């Protein structure tokens, strides 16, 4: 079964500092990987997705992620964060023939001034 | 454009009472529909998904049930709520004729925060 592991439950960082949110997946088949962001008391919004092709994927709000097949990772990065990036971030993988999204447990990013 | 509506936004219910959460999608036809539950520190858990009217698949055994009486309507229900049913419930839809297409994203409602007291 496919699964997603987000290694950090909380990441505090100062404004304008770089950040990396880690995600590892397990799968015996080709995967499609996603990062979603959830602002407080709201639904989820797609940040970026990897389907195929270039392993470096750029998303909205200046975020990017790199697919690393050998390390089975899909870490999310941003070179300089803003206060407004404070949110919870979810890594997800499409599972099986039904293609249902399976989410990690989330990482709460807290950006401090 | 497509939109997804989920209500109510918040709900406080006593233990043993029934539950009905509703989700509707506009601007698309034959969507795949999903119910997720988000509990503190546990991420998003897929509860149910549906690829068509009357077709419901359950991911985990639980106290909840789902129904899809119309193409763009998805309802989450319970006959008797438990304390453990508290959480943030999210409805989502995705495109694709029969299965989730990796070339499309999932669109989420604003969620319902359910507190069982």
């Amino acid at each position: 079964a496919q699964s997603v592991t987000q290694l950090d439950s909380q990441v505090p960082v100062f404004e304008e500092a770089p950040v990396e949110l880690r995600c590892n997946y397990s799968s015996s088949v080709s995967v499609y990987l996603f990062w979603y962001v959830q602002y407080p008391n709201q639904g989820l919004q797609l940040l970026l997705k990897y389907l195929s092709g270039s392993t470096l994927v750029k998303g909205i709000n200046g975020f990017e992620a790199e697919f690393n097949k050998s390390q089975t990772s899909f870490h999310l990065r941003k070179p300089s964060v803003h206060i407004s990036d404070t949110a919870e971030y979810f890594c997800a993988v499409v599972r099986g023939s039904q293609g249902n999204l399976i989410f990690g447990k989330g990482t709460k990013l807290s950006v401090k001034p | 454009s497509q939109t997804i509506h989920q209500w109510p936004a918040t709900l406080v219910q006593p233990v043993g009472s029934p539950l009905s959460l509703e989700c509707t999608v506009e601007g698309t036809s034959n969507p795949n529909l999903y119910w997720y539950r988000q509990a503190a520190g546990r991420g998003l858990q897929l509860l149910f998904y549906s690829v068509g009217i009357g077709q419901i698949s359950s991911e985990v055994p639980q106290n909840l049930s789902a129904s899809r009486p119309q193409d763009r309507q998805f309802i989450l229900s319970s006959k008797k709520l438990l304390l453990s049913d508290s959480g943030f419930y999210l409805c989502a839809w995705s495109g694709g004729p029969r299965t989730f297409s990796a070339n499309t994203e999932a669109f989420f409602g604003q969620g319902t925060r359910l507190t069982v007291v």
Side-chain angles (χ1 to χ4, degrees), chain B residues 25-80:
Chain B
V25 180
E26 296 178 358
T28 188
S29 60
N30 198 24
N32 298 321
L33 296 170
Y34 308 85
W35 277 110
Y36 287 88
R37 177 170 57 202
Q38 186 178 17
R42 299 183 63 183
L44 282 141
Q45 181 183 34
L46 178 62
L47 301 176
F48 301 95
Y49 68 90
S50 171
V51 298
I53 296 174
Q55 300 179 60
I56 309 294
S57 296
S58 174
E59 286 293 296
V60 293
Q62 58 201 306
N63 184 43
L64 302 167
S65 62
S67 62
R68 185 170 178 174
Q70 300 179 43
D71 181 46
R72 289 170 289 179
Q73 184 184 30
F74 205 26
I75 298 172
L76 184 68
S77 304
S78 173
K79 292 181 179 178
K80 290 185 177 181

Side-chain angles (χ1 to χ4, degrees), chain A residues 32 34 36 38 41-46 49 51 88 90 94-95 97-106, chain B residues 34 36 38 41-44 46 49 51 59 88 90 99-100 102-111 113:
Chain A
Y32 305 110
F34 305 78
Y36 281 82
Q38 183 182 32
N41 295 313
Q42 293 188 25
L44 275 69
Q45 179 183 5
L46 182 69
K49 58 185 175 183
L51 306 179
E88 190 159 17
F90 291 91
V94 168
R95 182 195 75 177
S97 59
Q98 265 73 33
N100 295 323
L101 271 174
I102 301 299
F103 287 88
K105 292 188 176 182
Chain B
Y34 308 85
Y36 287 88
Q38 186 178 17
R42 299 183 63 183
L44 282 141
L46 178 62
Y49 68 90
V51 298
E59 286 293 296
F88 192 53
L90 287 161
T99 61
F100 180 91
N103 289 315
T104 68
E105 65 185 86
F107 299 88
F108 286 82
Q110 292 298 292
R113 184 158 303 282

Side-chain angles (χ1 to χ4, degrees), chain A residues 41, chain B residues 6-22 35 64 75-89 110-117:
Chain A
N41 295 313
Chain B
Q6 188 181 341
W7 68 92
T10 59
L11 191 59
V12 180
Q13 292 283 96
V15 169
S17 64
L19 173 73
S20 180
L21 302 182
E22 189 163 343
W35 277 110
L64 302 167
I75 298 172
L76 184 68
S77 304
S78 173
K79 292 181 179 178
K80 290 185 177 181
L81 284 169
L82 306 172
L83 287 174
S84 57
D85 291 325
S86 294
F88 192 53
Y89 290 82
Q110 292 298 292
T112 297
R113 184 158 303 282
L114 172 65
T115 303
V116 182
V117 296

